[in-house]
Amino acid sequence: MPANRFNNYTEYGIGIGLRVPHYQHILSRKPTVDWFEIISENFMVDGGRPLKVLDSILEQYRVVQHGVAMYLGSTDKLDREHMRKIKRLVKRTNTPWLSDHLCWGSVDGRYTHDLLPLPYTFAAAAHVAQRIREVRDYLEVPILVENVSSYAEFHASEMTEWEFLSEVVEKADAGILLDVNNIYVSSQNHNFNPYDYLNNIPHHRVGQFHIAGHSKFEKYILDTHDHPVLDPVWKMYAHAIKLTGPTATLLEWDDRIPSFDEVHREALKAGKFCEELVREPSIL
Amino acid sequence: MSPASSDQTKGVKKLRSIQRAFATGIMRPLTPDQHMKPKWVDGTSTKKAVAKFVKPNDRLTSYERIEIYNRQYWYRLIDCFYEDFPGLRALIGEKRFYDLTVAYLTKYPSNSFTLRDLGNRLEKFLKQNPAWLVPHEALARDILKLEWAHIVAFDGEALPPLEIDSLLGGDPATLRLGFQPHITFLACSYPVDNFVLATRRREEPKGEASNAVTNRKKVKAAPKIARPKSEKIWLAVHRSDHSVFYKRLEPEAYLICTALQKGLSLQAACEKALRGKKNVDDFGSKLQAWFTQWAAFGWFCPAE
């Protein structure tokens, strides 16, 4: 299955999140990596070391931008200054697509710096879709929206999370960054079958995957990104790529970050699932 | 307005009201034992207030579900503040710094998409609430100014620098020079440069934004570093080769830099620096050395 229009028809393979503890290793040893994902907001600065590092990475590697603060589900107006800075960064990185989360995080000009869940209503879906269209028209790159992990559900919801995600991306004609770990975390926190989620979204819109580790507590699971990917998530990922075809995949590891080599090894496990699909396309 | 768009408007209004209630819940300070406050903003029960919009499940009440976000909010922001202001934290102590952070962010919640700006109104807050800094108010203010200047120097804008050659031959009476936006000049009553550097060496590297939940870090005790004794110093906090430096300046150099920054001509800036000085014989060579060095650092850019 070829790459699709939501990832600009690019075949990107397996990427790693670019993180500060690995800068020196990457810049000095130049390891072979298909691509790096950057958190846009860490580089939306006016100058200094972050941009110097980014420029050095761009000389050697392909970079994809992933945001954490566009807050597509917020009811405040889109932050024009934020958008201008993202656009400036898009020009710098030449990112083939840009992703951010299906969430909200600010209200009345106050920022929570968190990825907060939305009530799954038709009005919210239409509102988010409208904002995604605005963002895409301004930034002029394909937009992927990522499902977040969540710990709360709303009385106001009118549909399931996967129905909501589908409604949003269909209305916005946007792509999906499918975070398999987030689906697993939310399925455990909200008692649903994660395979119902995987089976019932528009697979042709999935332009990228995220995989990550999580932490289990007595009554809930937290999306901590501080562990290797756990078995149930690998199983879901294997199932998901059978539905979507080999798709750009990114391992997230944001806390208690081990050596670059350890993170890279973990990420490359995803490549094995994709290679299997390429060898035996009949299983698609 | 068509019925469909009217429904949409109502739907977005309802969404906004849910977001306001949710934000109210998670942005309120935690209790001393790290729980969500039992009373809602109107004095009623928080459990009842959040149960109106959040569902419980078979393991957690509505209150407990929102409490996860309430904790995450504070853990994330407090971690960020600890990284941005290690000197202030070392000076006023762990408990007071924690309480100050909570009080500040309650009065001035983040107004920017980036955590980098989280402390952008701390100086203002402390002017309004000086009791937080007693009994080391002047020292604390110096540390705060330096730590904010460090943030600005780290990722502030750098404009194409003016070369020293481009300054030569200009008429000092009309020549005006700008400084890089990332430079801050400070006059301090304490040698806070050494103090802040010592505290920064003890801290972890600066964290980044990510989309992961923040684990409650085991906070290391504030480093015990001797409080500096009163001594006037003048600093330029700047960036060179992508690293932040605190450069001490002679008082006259500080006066020239700040006068130039305010838009005075080179001649007027020098006159201001020399006002009242009796022995100015070697000033010309000093001035030349300073300007050569500052230009080599790339400090100058065209005046606005």
Side-chain angles (χ1 to χ4, degrees):
Chain A
M1 194 178 286
N4 59 42
R5 65 189 171 98
F6 304 106
N7 51 27
N8 239 338
Y9 297 101
T10 48
E11 298 276 3
Y12 259 49
I14 308 300
I16 296 178
L18 183 67
R19 300 291 180 265
V20 171
H22 296 155
Y23 283 177
Q24 201 180 356
H25 179 97
I26 296 164
L27 294 175
S28 61
R29 304 219 184 153
K30 300 183 173 52
T32 304
V33 179
D34 289 345
W35 55 286
F36 283 107
E37 184 185 81
I38 61 166
I39 301 287
S40 301
E41 283 74 10
N42 288 333
F43 299 91
M44 284 161 53
V45 293
D46 294 323
R49 187 174 290 278
L51 292 181
K52 163 75 178 160
V53 169
L54 178 60
D55 288 342
S56 301
I57 295 289
L58 285 166
E59 284 172 16
Q60 304 279 338
Y61 299 99
R62 301 182 298 186
V63 164
V64 174
Q65 277 180 233
H66 176 56
V68 294
M70 215 180 318
Y71 300 140
L72 294 164
S74 285
T75 47
D76 285 352
K77 282 188 178 160
L78 275 171
D79 181 339
R80 288 290 156 196
E81 180 60 19
H82 188 210
M83 299 298 292
R84 266 194 295 277
K85 288 188 172 183
I86 294 182
K87 187 155 188 167
R88 200 166 66 182
L89 191 62
V90 165
K91 285 183 177 161
R92 196 175 199 118
T93 63
N94 203 21
T95 184
W97 69 88
L98 181 140
S99 59
D100 208 312
H101 299 82
L102 184 52
C103 73
W104 67 282
S106 63
V107 66
D108 298 324
R110 295 177 300 158
Y111 288 74
T112 65
H113 301 283
D114 203 349
L115 308 173
L116 303 173
L118 287 157
Y120 306 136
T121 65
F122 288 99
H127 172 71
V128 178
Q130 172 57 32
R131 282 164 71 95
I132 294 170
R133 285 179 177 278
E134 263 183 68
V135 167
R136 186 188 51 218
D137 291 349
Y138 179 72
L139 298 179
E140 299 175 296
V141 284
I143 303 293
L144 307 186
V145 288
E146 179 183 354
N147 56 299
V148 295
S149 50
S150 64
Y151 316 103
E153 299 165 286
F154 297 95
H155 292 299
S157 288
E158 298 162 346
M159 59 189 109
T160 64
E161 185 185 334
W162 55 93
E163 288 167 342
F164 182 71
L165 172 64
S166 305
E167 177 81 7
V168 168
V169 293
E170 294 291 353
K171 272 201 155 76
D173 191 21
I176 298 172
L177 192 177
L178 195 63
D179 190 315
V180 181
N181 181 59
N182 286 351
I183 294 175
Y184 180 77
V185 169
S186 294
S187 75
Q188 299 301 298
N189 290 338
H190 308 318
N191 299 328
F192 65 78
N193 181 344
Y195 288 88
D196 285 344
Y197 198 129
L198 292 177
N199 292 335
N200 289 293
I201 52 168
H203 303 121
H204 66 286
R205 291 188 181 274
V206 177
Q208 188 192 329
F209 282 104
H210 268 174
I211 46 175
H214 56 256
S215 299
K216 204 163 184 170
F217 294 86
E218 191 189 340
K219 292 182 178 177
Y220 56 92
I221 293 183
L222 277 184
D223 181 27
T224 45
H225 297 184
D226 61 350
H227 286 76
V229 180
L230 296 171
D231 275 348
V233 176
W234 280 127
K235 282 180 186 152
M236 287 171 59
Y237 174 71
H239 180 78
I241 58 167
K242 283 178 195 166
L243 299 169
T244 62
T247 301
T249 299
L250 185 285
L251 171 72
E252 295 182 295
W253 204 320
D254 295 314
D255 203 0
R256 297 185 196 136
I257 300 175
S259 71
F260 176 85
D261 288 334
E262 191 176 333
V263 174
H264 199 192
R265 264 198 306 278
E266 185 69 12
L268 290 177
K269 286 182 191 169
K272 289 181 184 155
F273 291 100
C274 294
E275 283 161 19
E276 200 177 308
L277 280 184
V278 173
R279 275 200 309 274
E280 293 182 58
S282 59
I283 60 178
L284 286 177
Chain B
M1 191 182 280
S2 69
S5 71
S6 165
D7 285 352
Q8 178 60 19
T9 305
K10 276 186 203 156
V12 173
K13 214 170 163 184
K14 188 174 176 189
L15 174 63
R16 192 166 182 79
S17 75
I18 290 173
Q19 290 180 346
R20 279 182 172 147
F22 201 108
T24 298
I26 69 172
M27 295 170 89
R28 297 179 73 212
L30 296 164
T31 61
D33 56 350
Q34 307 291 298
H35 286 289
M36 190 155 71
K37 281 183 189 284
K39 296 273 185 209
W40 194 244
V41 280
D42 59 4
T44 59
S45 152
T46 296
K47 283 182 181 170
K48 282 186 184 164
V50 298
K52 285 180 192 162
F53 59 96
V54 170
K55 281 185 190 174
N57 69 6
D58 55 346
R59 287 156 287 160
L60 297 168
T61 62
S62 309
Y63 171 95
E64 287 168 326
R65 294 181 117 183
I66 291 279
E67 188 181 62
I68 296 171
Y69 289 100
N70 188 199
R71 287 181 176 149
Q72 287 306 317
Y73 173 78
W74 285 104
Y75 294 170
R76 190 185 296 266
L77 268 51
I78 286 168
D79 272 2
C80 179
F81 235 58
Y82 276 36
E83 289 174 359
D84 284 350
F85 300 103
L88 189 59
R89 177 181 154 216
L91 178 73
I92 69 174
E94 202 65 56
K95 170 78 170 70
R96 186 175 255 200
F97 185 76
Y98 178 92
D99 292 343
L100 163 63
T101 304
V102 172
Y104 165 67
L105 291 171
T106 303
K107 169 82 178 167
Y108 293 114
S110 174
N111 61 357
S112 162
F113 68 87
T114 169
L115 284 166
R116 183 254 194 214
D117 296 339
L118 202 57
N120 60 4
R121 289 166 293 172
L122 184 57
E123 195 173 352
K124 178 179 171 185
F125 176 79
L126 288 170
K127 263 187 195 151
Q128 295 162 341
N129 302 277
W132 284 104
L133 305 179
V134 173
H136 306 295
E137 196 175 337
L139 173 57
R141 287 193 192 288
D142 279 355
I143 291 172
L144 177 61
K145 279 189 290 183
L146 178 53
E147 294 193 313
W148 185 252
H150 186 111
I151 291 169
V152 172
F154 178 75
D155 60 13
E157 189 179 7
L159 299 171
L162 288 177
E163 302 294 331
I164 188 76
D165 291 351
S166 62
L167 310 182
L168 300 173
D171 176 3
T174 56
L175 182 62
R176 285 178 169 76
L177 296 168
F179 283 95
Q180 294 291 352
H182 60 76
I183 300 180
T184 307
F185 298 105
L186 298 174
C188 302
S189 305
Y190 291 85
V192 286
D193 48 352
N194 294 333
F195 182 81
V196 169
L197 282 172
T199 60
R200 293 191 85 88
R201 272 186 219 113
R202 304 275 291 266
E203 295 295 318
E204 306 257 335
K206 188 160 175 59
E208 300 171 283
S210 81
N211 53 357
V213 155
T214 306
N215 276 313
R216 185 78 210 271
K217 304 274 190 315
K218 194 177 174 194
V219 176
K220 288 180 289 185
K224 285 192 170 44
I225 296 164
R227 272 197 308 275
K229 295 202 170 106
S230 175
E231 174 197 340
K232 283 233 173 230
I233 63 162
W234 295 266
L235 292 173
V237 183
H238 71 114
R239 187 171 75 231
S240 182
D241 197 21
H242 309 290
S243 293
V244 176
F245 293 94
Y246 309 157
K247 179 171 174 50
R248 285 205 186 185
L249 300 173
E250 292 186 38
E252 293 83 7
Y254 168 83
L255 287 173
I256 290 173
C257 290
T258 49
L260 287 171
Q261 216 175 24
K262 283 178 187 156
L264 268 65
S265 69
L266 178 58
Q267 183 176 317
C270 292
E271 284 169 0
K272 186 177 177 190
L274 291 180
R275 201 166 296 151
K277 297 273 173 202
K278 286 178 185 162
N279 186 0
V280 294
D281 291 347
D282 62 344
F283 192 71
S285 56
K286 239 183 192 180
L287 199 62
Q288 193 177 12
W290 288 341
F291 273 76
T292 304
Q293 188 182 50
W294 299 342
F297 285 145
W299 283 7
F300 296 119
C301 55
E304 281 177 11

